[in-house]
């Protein structure tokens, strides 16, 4: 059975599953399209090129006819897990009779986490979906049937991001405005908070925001000029302190419900955009409430097309589990050669690249298929040595992003306990860990944490070989790892864009496939 699945709206994507195996998941933003893109002709053509026959099932994730979750539904719509949340009708696709499947957006998150998880067949589990609009717990039974347990909070992700806009002097008004990038920036700023008891003014603004309903439509920062935090400035200590307490307040509401009601000791599956919050994931992992915690590498809407495909597979076969690999995107496109007048090229030698990085150089690394989800996990990465704060500053300059943003480390899984303490292994860079070595200044956030990715030779042979070679030279199997992309776009996926990026932002070298490339030094 071949299932082809589509996700509408922001973070659009196309996925295909055949006989329980993920063939690909292609996100519209990748290949240097704008972040959070809707479906494009390019991604649709990319998907069709990878199929050798017509699908048996065409799956379309439920969405809305507009830009808010409260707009009229498209197909099975945004909300719901029970009656009406799944549809199965006869249809036609390129002249062939097919089944057209649809299930709600809410189900897409649940089924992505369920089908990608390592829990065995027949194992019941809890699921938490927290994203822009949904903030609920569910129970999945032995047959994969989903029961909604409780909405703990409406709009948790949008409320979390709202605080960033309230403090941002560069945003005049916010009612009706949703900036999808704000939540990640706020997560970085919470690390700068000073520990202290909550003040009356902090409590007032937190309780006011959390009491709102559909916050994007109902409230704007222009309605909160009464708050001392209105336009206080993102780099102010007052805002950073508030951001950390606000983060705690959101987590505590969900944790309180889980502690009281989720008492069976089942595994917890986490999905939705808030599943990218590494601090919250760490707290769930360390809570002791669950036998295990699983977060997929694409918990946000980038995984929704895959979740709908998994839901379709479960609907027709009774089985949700899929065989998958995180490197399920499109291969890198070598569409133009490196100019030999400007670049030296030679076969990839991991020891040579490791020495080049150890000497202080920063490289773009593009090999094989891109990663599913928003995190660079070693196939579309910028890599550097992890030892100096100057490297952090240079990487943030290359990335054209704020200086308060931390740089993540990538580390050999076997060595990770030497350098980091936290939920390990962490192959998808989804948990905060504490940095144990003062030598790793470039990957240590102000609060002593890092968003560590661990890797093995089985998961990514090339990166593992490079880390091993770097350890042979420096004693550390750790590198800086940040995404290879233009500001505001998805991963770079072709040589022409890579060369332009390197020239504009000052990369020192490149690894493309099996080739190592460095700039020629002009002869004097």
């Amino acid at each position: 059975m071949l299932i082809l699945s589509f996700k509408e709206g922001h973070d659009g994507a196309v996925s295909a599953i055949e006989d329980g195996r993920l063939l690909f998941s292609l996100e519209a933003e990748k290949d240097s399209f704008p972040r959070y893109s809707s479906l494009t002709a390019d991604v649709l053509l990319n998907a069709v090129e990878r199929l050798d026959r017509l699908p048996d099932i065409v799956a379309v994730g439920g969405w809305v006819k507009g830009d808010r979750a409260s707009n009229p539904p498209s197909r099975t719509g945004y909300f719901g897990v029970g009656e009406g949340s799944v549809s199965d009708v006869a249809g036609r696709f390129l002249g062939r009779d097919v089944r057209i499947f649809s299930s709600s957006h809410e189900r897409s998150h649940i089924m992505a986490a369920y089908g990608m998880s390592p829990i065995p067949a027949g194992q019941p589990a809890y699921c938490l979906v927290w994203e822009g609009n949904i903030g609920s717990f569910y129970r999945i039974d032995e047959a994969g049937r989903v029961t909604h347990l409780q909405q703990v909070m409406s709009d948790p992700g949008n409320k979390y991001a709202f605080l960033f806009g309230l403090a941002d002097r560069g945003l005049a008004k916010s009612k009706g405005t949703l900036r999808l990038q704000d939540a990640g920036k706020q997560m970085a700023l919470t690390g700068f908070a000073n520990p202290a008891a909550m003040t009356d003014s902090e409590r007032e603004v937190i309780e006011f925001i959390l009491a709102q309903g559909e916050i994007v439509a109902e409230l704007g920062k222009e309605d909160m000029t009464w708050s001392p935090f209105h336009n206080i400035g993102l780099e102010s200590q007052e805002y950073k302190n508030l951001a950390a307490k606000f983060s705690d307040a959101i987590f505590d509401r969900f944790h309180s419900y889980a502690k009281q009601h989720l008492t069976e000791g089942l595994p917890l599956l986490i999905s939705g955009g808030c599943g990218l919050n590494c601090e919250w994931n760490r707290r769930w992992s360390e809570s002791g409430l669950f036998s295990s915690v699983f977060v997929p590498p694409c918990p946000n809407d980038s995984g929704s097309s895959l979740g709908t495909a998994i839901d379709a597979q479960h609907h027709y076969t009774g089985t949700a589990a899929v065989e998958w690999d995180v490197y399920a995107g499109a291969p890198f496109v070598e569409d133009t050669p490196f100019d030999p007048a400007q670049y030296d090229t030679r076969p990839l030698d991991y020891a040579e690249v490791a020495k080049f990085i150890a000497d202080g150089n920063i490289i773009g690394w593009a090999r094989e298929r891109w990663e599913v989800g928003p995190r660079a996990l070693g196939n579309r990465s910028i890599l550097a040595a992890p030892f100096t704060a100057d490297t952090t500053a240079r990487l943030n300059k290359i990335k054209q992003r704020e200086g308060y943003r931390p740089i993540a480390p990538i580390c050999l899984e076997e060595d990770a306990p030497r350098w980091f303490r936290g939920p390990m292994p962490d192959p998808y860079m989804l948990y905060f860990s504490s940095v144990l070595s003062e030598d790793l200044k470039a990957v240590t956030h102000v609060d002593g944490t890092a968003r560590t990715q661990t890797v093995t030779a089985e998961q990514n042979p090339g990166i593992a070989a490079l880390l091993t070679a770097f350890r042979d030279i420096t004693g550390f199997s750790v590198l800086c790892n940040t995404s290879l992309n233009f500001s505001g776009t998805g991963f770079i996926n072709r040589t022409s864009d890579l060369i332009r990026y390197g020239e504009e932002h000052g990369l020192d070298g490149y690894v493309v496939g099996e080739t190592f490339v460095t700039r020629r030094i002009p002869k004097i």
Side-chain angles (χ1 to χ4, degrees):
M1 177 186 292
L2 177 60
I3 302 168
L4 183 64
S5 180
F6 302 94
K7 193 275 177 185
E8 297 182 74
H10 67 81
D11 293 301
V14 184
S15 302
I17 293 174
E18 185 171 29
D19 298 332
R21 182 173 63 90
L22 175 62
L23 300 182
F24 58 76
S25 187
L26 308 178
E27 297 145 55
E29 71 169 36
K30 301 290 174 67
D31 195 12
S32 300
F33 279 87
R35 290 288 311 278
Y36 319 113
S37 288
S38 299
L39 289 175
T40 62
D42 283 73
V43 75
L44 295 173
L45 287 171
N46 200 340
V48 171
E49 286 177 1
R50 293 172 204 296
L51 298 177
D52 58 9
R53 66 183 181 90
L54 292 177
D56 304 293
I57 313 295
V58 175
V60 182
W63 198 241
V64 290
K65 297 177 179 178
D67 58 359
R68 295 194 183 96
S70 58
N71 288 136
S74 171
R75 294 191 179 267
T76 46
Y78 202 97
F79 299 106
V81 298
E83 185 176 355
S85 65
V86 173
S87 67
D88 171 22
V89 298
R92 300 274 291 172
F93 187 82
L94 296 178
R96 178 182 173 181
D97 290 334
V98 297
R99 301 304 297 182
I100 306 294
F101 174 87
S102 181
S103 62
S104 68
H105 182 67
E106 191 167 357
R107 286 188 63 91
S108 77
H109 283 305
I110 297 166
M111 298 307 286
Y114 182 53
M116 298 177 77
S117 75
I119 63 174
Q123 167 68 61
Y126 296 123
C127 184
L128 166 61
V129 174
W130 50 354
E131 47 121 74
N133 300 286
I134 300 168
S136 290
F137 282 104
Y138 312 80
R139 190 182 188 279
I140 305 171
D141 72 10
E142 292 83 353
R145 291 182 293 261
V146 179
T147 301
H148 181 258
L149 298 178
Q150 181 67 42
Q151 176 180 281
V152 176
M153 182 185 298
S154 67
D155 284 27
N158 290 341
K159 287 172 180 172
Y160 181 84
F162 179 87
L163 190 72
F164 187 93
L166 178 66
D168 185 3
R169 293 170 181 158
L171 180 64
K173 297 181 179 181
S174 67
K175 186 175 289 186
T177 299
L178 178 61
R179 300 192 302 184
L180 296 171
Q181 70 272 26
D182 286 359
K185 295 180 181 181
Q186 182 157 288
M187 184 173 68
L189 284 162
T190 61
F192 291 83
N194 293 328
M198 188 179 293
T199 66
D200 290 341
S201 59
E202 289 172 337
R203 181 175 292 103
E204 181 181 26
V205 72
I206 289 171
E207 291 180 353
F208 181 83
I209 294 173
L210 294 187
Q212 303 302 309
E214 190 186 355
I215 192 166
V216 174
E218 296 176 1
L219 185 69
K221 66 180 291 183
E222 59 271 28
D223 301 316
M224 293 186 64
T225 54
W226 52 266
S227 169
F229 299 100
H230 180 270
N231 282 342
I232 197 170
L234 298 172
E235 302 265 12
S236 68
Q237 192 60 51
E238 293 85 354
Y239 162 70
K240 295 170 184 175
N241 294 342
L242 174 65
K245 292 169 186 174
F246 188 53
S247 176
D248 291 345
I250 293 174
F251 180 85
D252 287 346
R253 293 205 181 183
F254 286 87
H255 180 268
S256 294
Y257 175 85
K259 186 175 181 180
Q260 183 177 355
H261 298 283
L262 307 186
T263 58
E264 296 178 79
L266 300 177
L268 176 67
L269 312 176
I270 297 175
S271 197
C274 296
L276 293 170
N277 188 304
C278 297
E279 173 61 18
W280 291 345
N281 290 343
R282 180 191 64 80
R283 293 186 188 187
W284 286 123
S285 177
E286 295 176 353
S287 69
L289 298 176
F290 311 101
S291 59
S292 62
V293 174
F294 173 75
V295 189
C298 47
N300 64 339
D301 281 15
S302 67
S304 288
S305 72
L306 177 51
T308 301
I310 290 170
D311 206 2
Q313 176 182 283
H314 182 262
H315 179 80
Y316 295 109
T317 70
T319 301
V322 292
E323 178 186 341
W324 61 279
D325 187 283
V326 74
Y327 306 105
F332 192 77
V333 179
E334 298 188 41
D335 63 342
T336 190
F338 286 90
D339 183 355
Q342 299 183 55
Y343 298 97
D344 286 321
T345 62
R346 58 275 202 193
L348 171 60
D349 179 282
Y350 293 105
E352 183 187 9
V353 177
K355 176 66 165 58
F356 188 74
I357 294 173
D359 287 341
N361 294 293
I362 295 176
I363 69 167
W365 177 278
R367 306 186 76 223
E368 301 182 357
R369 298 170 69 176
W370 74 53
E371 301 88 329
V372 172
R375 301 266 161 88
L377 301 174
N379 277 12
R380 300 292 182 275
S381 292
I382 297 173
L383 303 175
F387 303 123
T388 70
D390 287 344
T391 300
T392 307
R394 186 181 169 199
L395 284 168
N396 276 331
K397 183 178 180 181
I398 288 171
K399 296 276 294 179
Q400 297 183 298
R401 49 180 220 172
E402 300 84 355
Y404 58 75
R405 304 281 291 276
I407 299 296
I410 188 169
C411 176
L412 281 178
E413 181 183 304
E414 65 195 69
D415 294 340
R418 296 176 60 189
W419 320 121
F420 307 101
R421 181 178 64 248
M424 299 287 178
D426 186 2
Y428 311 124
M429 201 189 293
L430 290 168
Y431 299 87
F432 279 147
S433 54
S434 299
V435 182
L436 302 179
S437 172
E438 294 182 356
D439 294 309
L440 300 174
K441 295 181 178 62
V443 296
T444 304
H445 197 33
V446 64
D447 59 355
T449 65
R451 190 177 68 189
T452 307
Q453 180 198 353
T454 59
V455 68
T456 67
E458 292 73 28
Q459 293 161 346
N460 193 320
I463 281 288
L466 178 64
L467 289 167
T468 300
F470 191 76
R471 181 181 61 190
D472 291 342
I473 296 169
T474 67
F476 290 80
S477 57
V478 183
L479 289 170
C480 296
N481 173 31
T482 187
S483 56
L484 180 61
N485 63 289
F486 291 94
S487 179
T489 72
F491 298 159
I492 289 170
N493 203 53
R494 57 191 64 240
T495 318
S496 54
D497 285 339
L498 179 61
I499 294 171
R500 180 165 63 90
Y501 184 86
E503 292 292 335
E504 291 177 1
H505 300 292
L507 294 181
D508 301 308
Y510 313 87
V511 169
V512 177
E514 298 301 318
T515 303
F516 180 36
V517 183
T518 53
R519 294 175 181 273
R520 272 189 177 276
I521 300 174
K523 294 181 180 180
I524 299 176

